Amino acid sequence: MKFVTKTPIVKGWSGERKYRVTDETGMCYLLRETDIAQRERKEAEFHVMQQLEGRGLSMCRPVKLWWDETTVYMLHSWIEGEDLENVLPQLPEPEQYRLGLEAGRQLRIIHSVPAFDDCESWQQSYTRKVRRTMERYEDCPLKLPQEPFFLQRMQQGLSLLGDRPVMLQHGDFHRGNLMLDRQGRIVVIDFQKFSWGDPWEEYDSITWDVQLAPAFARGRMDGYFEGGPPKEFWQLFFCYVCRGLFNGLAWAVSYGDKQIDFAKQHAENVWKWYSDSHDIPSWYQGLGLQR
């Protein structure tokens, strides 16, 4: 495939090289380039995207995958639109909520793909994940002031992992990996962190959406659960969020004071959600939005 233009895209944390490219007919695409050592992973990612396209997900479509001696190339459809995180703050709450409903319904499609039959149980997998997280956190020179509270709630949730299903996860589903196309529809992008696990764990990153647009976050919940989350969801949700807070601070230490301050403020915001000792966070209870 020959490209007549190739414009770098400088954004994101993935480490991949990204370009907007144009072929000889004037058609635009997104080209991602990755080190050849990632070939097997990129083949799996491409296959997952093909499955999701077949299930009707609104997404950047997988077009072509190929490689040479040093590089893996993945070509996606180009999405004409805007990054959702740039658009959301400008919208009224009812429109934020509507987009959240749509995002939640799209996430259900992603979670409809089951793992392989021989996949490890979620309890084993997540328990190991928590152990790794806490090892990194214990090695971290900084600590969260709310550590006892978060640790207790995380441990309470671990007892509920036994019967959870293992399904496809996007791996980084939040407003930063969603776009709004020219028709006003949600489009899902950036699948390179896909994984297999409890679908409800995917909601650990909704905390970023809450800080920007609580109405959108509420819509994500209601659209996914077709009305509202069941009671048993909330304890596991907080367990997953707590692990993310510990992991976030340990990660931030390597990136300087700005990221450290951000991680600490994020933990403070989450702590305030539960200051009334209820299982349901205040941002969800406090929004009287109609479907």
Side-chain angles (χ1 to χ4, degrees), residues 27 37 81 83 143 150 156 166 203 213 229 233 267 271 288:
M27 184 70 71
D83 293 342
K143 295 292 180 282
F150 291 143
Q156 288 174 351
V166 179
Y203 272 93
F233 167 81
W271 181 78

Side-chain angles (χ1 to χ4, degrees), residues 25-285:
T25 70
M27 184 70 71
C28 291
Y29 300 93
L30 172 67
L31 176 66
R32 307 182 79 116
E33 298 181 355
T34 313
D35 188 272
I36 191 63
Q38 298 297 315
R39 174 182 158 182
E40 287 189 10
R41 173 70 181 181
K42 301 309 287 185
E43 287 183 287
E45 178 185 336
F46 194 76
H47 176 63
V48 159
M49 292 180 69
Q50 288 177 316
Q51 287 183 281
L52 292 173
E53 182 183 17
R55 291 174 183 244
L57 184 69
S58 176
M59 62 184 292
C60 54
R61 296 184 298 102
V63 177
K64 186 177 181 181
L65 178 74
W66 73 101
W67 52 86
D68 57 27
E69 293 182 353
T70 62
T71 306
V72 180
Y73 305 90
M74 189 183 293
L75 198 66
H76 302 255
S77 59
W78 181 260
I79 307 300
E80 291 292 348
E82 300 180 81
D83 293 342
L84 186 63
E85 64 182 346
N86 295 334
V87 178
L88 274 177
Q90 307 167 28
L91 300 176
E93 281 194 348
E95 180 63 9
Q96 293 178 357
Y97 182 69
R98 184 192 71 79
L99 292 173
L101 290 174
E102 186 179 344
R105 292 165 186 149
Q106 294 300 323
L107 185 57
R108 281 189 72 93
I109 296 175
I110 295 175
H111 293 166
S112 69
V113 180
F116 301 110
D117 291 339
D118 60 352
C119 188
E120 182 181 36
S121 77
W122 178 239
Q123 186 168 39
Q124 291 176 310
S125 176
Y126 194 73
T127 299
R128 187 169 59 253
K129 189 173 184 178
V130 168
R131 188 183 306 118
R132 290 197 301 265
T133 294
M134 296 313 296
E135 287 172 354
R136 288 194 296 270
Y137 176 76
E138 288 167 7
D139 289 339
C140 176
L142 303 174
K143 295 292 180 282
L144 295 174
Q146 311 86 357
E147 176 185 317
F149 176 68
F150 291 143
L151 189 59
Q152 180 189 39
R153 297 300 290 268
M154 183 175 69
Q155 290 173 337
Q156 288 174 351
L158 293 178
S159 65
L160 305 175
L161 300 176
D163 296 326
R164 296 304 304 155
V166 179
M167 309 292 282
L168 176 66
Q169 298 174 330
H170 176 275
D172 201 19
F173 193 95
H174 54 78
R175 91 281 176 152
N177 286 325
L178 300 173
M179 293 187 67
L180 194 65
D181 71 11
R182 298 301 186 211
Q183 288 72 47
R185 298 173 301 196
I186 293 286
V187 181
V188 186
I189 63 173
D190 288 354
F191 293 83
Q192 67 271 15
K193 292 184 179 179
F194 83 90
S195 57
W196 303 94
D198 178 6
W200 291 358
E201 188 205 14
E202 194 93 78
Y203 272 93
D204 63 352
S205 60
I206 202 174
T207 53
W208 310 113
D209 292 339
V210 172
Q211 293 185 28
L212 183 72
F216 173 75
R218 169 69 182 264
R220 278 188 54 188
M221 293 284 195
D222 291 350
Y224 185 90
F225 288 103
E226 298 180 347
K231 182 179 179 180
E232 57 267 25
F233 167 81
W234 290 113
Q235 266 193 302
L236 270 175
F237 167 72
F238 197 22
C239 169
Y240 295 146
V241 167
C242 289
R243 190 207 67 84
L245 296 175
F246 290 124
N247 191 64
L249 182 62
W251 173 87
V253 168
S254 300
Y255 290 90
D257 291 343
K258 182 177 180 180
Q259 292 300 326
I260 291 171
D261 292 343
F262 188 77
K264 287 183 173 181
Q265 184 59 55
H266 183 50
E268 176 70 14
N269 293 340
V270 172
W271 181 78
K272 289 178 180 178
W273 297 352
Y274 295 93
S275 59
D276 60 4
S277 300
H278 292 145
D279 286 335
I280 300 176
S282 57
W283 60 265
Y284 185 85
Q285 298 183 79

